[in-house]
């Protein structure tokens, strides 16, 4: 009886272990080049990401009318982005281990690409098929790291490191009309990385064609957005700050509003509002001696800098645009009340 009970416990432990979910932004990974395959062996090749990375690339060759299958394990609701680079005629299919085809996001799929949210934690199969001609190909798989803000906050700070000419993919959700600001500070004397921003629907907010190391803009749709950080010719470490300010709106017939909050020491809370040229903006933070006020426009115009003490502002707006208001604490945490008026 004791032997049977012990076996039952072992079986329960095995079931629990096998059902554990994959943490957000992780897949099991270490990229290996795929060997040439005629499709006769039927063996699947495992794709595994190197520790700390969010993508892997494999490559190989296929004889005419042959195929090769790759397998990787990923978590429920993670977004997987797969692209196949190959001559015309080669195709990509993405299925569950049981062979069920995955539904990609509308308007993003093709015979050589897949982008979609995974329906469950488990193994997924990527099949590359050659057409009537032999082909050489490369297959890139990305599962971005999810950025989440702590409850009640409007920003997140992340750190990372990159080898030269490599990239790290992030993803975060935001609403239509929200302002998103991303800044990256390289560690030491390393040159700044490149930032690429685009929606899961394929809309590009900032391409990889320039040398931009920051982004600030209004989001066109409510959806997830990719943020890709790409290193240049040198290895680098970096700190990335992502901000989505709380939007300030006024009740009908009113031109002022008040917010209350609590901030830990040396932290910032971000707000945004739309103002018209020559309107008078008045901002006060109470109590006046516990916090600092910073105000700047989307175009970079600074109305109040963070170079000194000060928790109030009153002045005419130089242009019609969105303005960012920052409440920042010093060496002590603080409760605060933010009073904003536009006339």
């Amino acid at each position: 009886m004791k032997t049977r009970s012990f076996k039952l416990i072992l079986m329960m432990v095995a079931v629990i272990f096998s059902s554990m979910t994959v943490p957000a932004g992780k897949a099991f990974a270490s990229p290996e080049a795929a060997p040439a395959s005629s499709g006769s062996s039927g063996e699947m090749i495992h794709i595994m990401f190197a520790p700390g990375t969010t993508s892997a690339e494999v490559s190989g060759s296929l004889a005419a009318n042959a195929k090769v299958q790759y397998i990787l394990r990923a978590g429920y609701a993670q977004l997987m982005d797969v692209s196949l680079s190959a001559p015309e005629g080669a195709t990509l299919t993405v299925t569950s281990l049981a062979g069920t085809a995955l539904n990609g996001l509308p308007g993003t799929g093709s015979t050589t690409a897949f982008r979609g949210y995974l329906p469950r934690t488990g193994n997924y199969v990527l099949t590359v098929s050659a057409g009537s001609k032999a082909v050489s190909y490369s297959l890139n798989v990305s599962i971005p790291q999810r950025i989440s803000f702590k409850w009640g906050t409007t920003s997140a700070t992340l750190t990372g490191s990159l080898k030269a000419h490599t990239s790290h993919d992030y993803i975060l959700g935001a609403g239509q009309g929200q302002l998103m600001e991303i800044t990256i500070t390289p560690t030491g004397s390393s040159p700044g990385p490149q930032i690429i921003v685009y929606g899961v629907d394929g809309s590009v907010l900032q391409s990889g064609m320039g040398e931009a190391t920051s982004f600030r803009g209004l989001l066109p749709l409510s959806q997830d957005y990719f943020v890709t950080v790409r290193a240049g010719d040198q290895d680098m470490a970096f700190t990335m700050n992502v901000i989505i300010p709380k939007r300030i709106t006024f009740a009908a017939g009113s031109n002022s509003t008040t917010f209350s909050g609590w901030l830990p020491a040396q932290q910032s809370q971000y707000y945004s509002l739309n103002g018209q040229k020559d309107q008078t903006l008045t901002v006060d933070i109470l109590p006046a001696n516990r916090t600092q006020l910073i105000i700047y426009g989307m175009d970079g115009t600074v109305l109040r800098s963070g170079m000194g003490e000060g928790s109030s502002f009153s002045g005419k707006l130089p242009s019609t645009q969105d303005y960012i208001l920052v409440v920042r604490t010093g060496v002590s945490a603080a409760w605060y009340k933010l009073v904003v008026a536009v006339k």
Side-chain angles (χ1 to χ4, degrees), residues 260-310:
S260 297
W262 180 86
L263 271 177
Q266 298 179 331
Q267 297 295 312
S268 299
Q269 185 75 322
Y270 298 84
Y271 298 86
S272 67
L273 84 162
N274 184 263
Q276 306 296 308
K277 182 179 179 180
D278 292 331
Q279 283 185 316
T280 297
L281 172 66
T282 303
V283 184
D284 289 293
I285 307 176
L286 304 171
N289 60 346
R290 303 293 300 276
T291 56
Q292 184 184 52
L293 174 65
I294 301 167
I295 304 175
Y296 57 96
M298 268 194 65
D299 64 355
T301 301
V302 177
L303 303 185
R304 184 171 191 89
S305 73
M307 299 303 293
E309 298 295 329

Side-chain angles (χ1 to χ4, degrees), residues 87-277:
E88 186 176 355
T91 59
L92 166 72
T93 56
V94 181
T95 66
S96 68
L97 193 58
T100 304
L102 269 62
N103 295 318
L105 291 169
T108 65
S110 70
T111 57
T112 57
F114 170 85
R115 179 180 295 163
Y117 296 98
L118 301 179
R120 61 184 58 85
T121 296
N123 292 314
Y124 292 90
V125 179
L126 316 178
T127 302
V128 179
S129 302
S132 58
K133 298 180 180 178
V135 297
S136 295
Y137 66 89
S138 63
L139 185 69
N140 184 274
V141 184
S142 171
I143 299 180
Q145 177 182 339
R146 174 71 64 176
I147 298 174
S148 299
F149 293 177
K150 292 181 180 179
W151 185 87
T153 67
T154 52
S155 64
T157 300
L158 304 96
T159 59
S161 59
L162 290 169
K163 296 291 186 182
H165 304 295
T166 64
S167 60
H168 193 94
D169 300 316
Y170 297 92
I171 191 170
L172 78 162
Q176 182 180 25
Q178 285 188 302
L179 187 151
M180 182 166 70
E181 182 173 349
I182 304 168
T183 56
I184 291 189
T185 304
T187 301
S189 58
S190 302
Q194 184 184 54
I195 300 178
I196 303 165
V197 183
Y198 57 100
V200 293
D201 67 339
S203 57
V204 178
L205 278 65
Q206 182 162 287
S207 72
M209 300 302 291
E211 299 295 326
T213 58
S214 63
F215 170 83
R216 183 186 295 151
L218 295 176
L219 302 178
L221 294 171
S222 296
Q223 62 175 340
D224 274 345
Y225 289 87
F226 292 99
V227 178
T228 298
V229 181
R230 180 179 294 166
D233 296 333
Q234 301 177 28
D235 297 354
M236 62 163 298
F238 64 89
T239 298
M240 179 170 72
N241 193 35
V242 181
I243 301 166
I244 299 181
K246 180 179 178 65
R247 174 68 66 177
I248 296 174
T249 57
F250 302 131
S254 175
N255 58 11
S256 65
T257 190
T258 300
F259 297 91
S260 297
W262 180 86
L263 271 177
Q266 298 179 331
Q267 297 295 312
S268 299
Q269 185 75 322
Y270 298 84
Y271 298 86
S272 67
L273 84 162
N274 184 263
Q276 306 296 308
K277 182 179 179 180

Side-chain angles (χ1 to χ4, degrees), residues 12-50:
M12 292 175 65
V13 170
V15 169
I16 293 171
F17 182 78
S18 64
S19 65
M20 290 175 65
T21 59
V22 182
K26 302 286 185 184
F28 304 117
S30 119
E32 298 178 356
S37 172
S38 64
S40 59
S41 67
E43 293 183 359
M44 295 183 185
I45 301 169
H46 284 269
I47 294 178
M48 300 181 70
F49 296 178

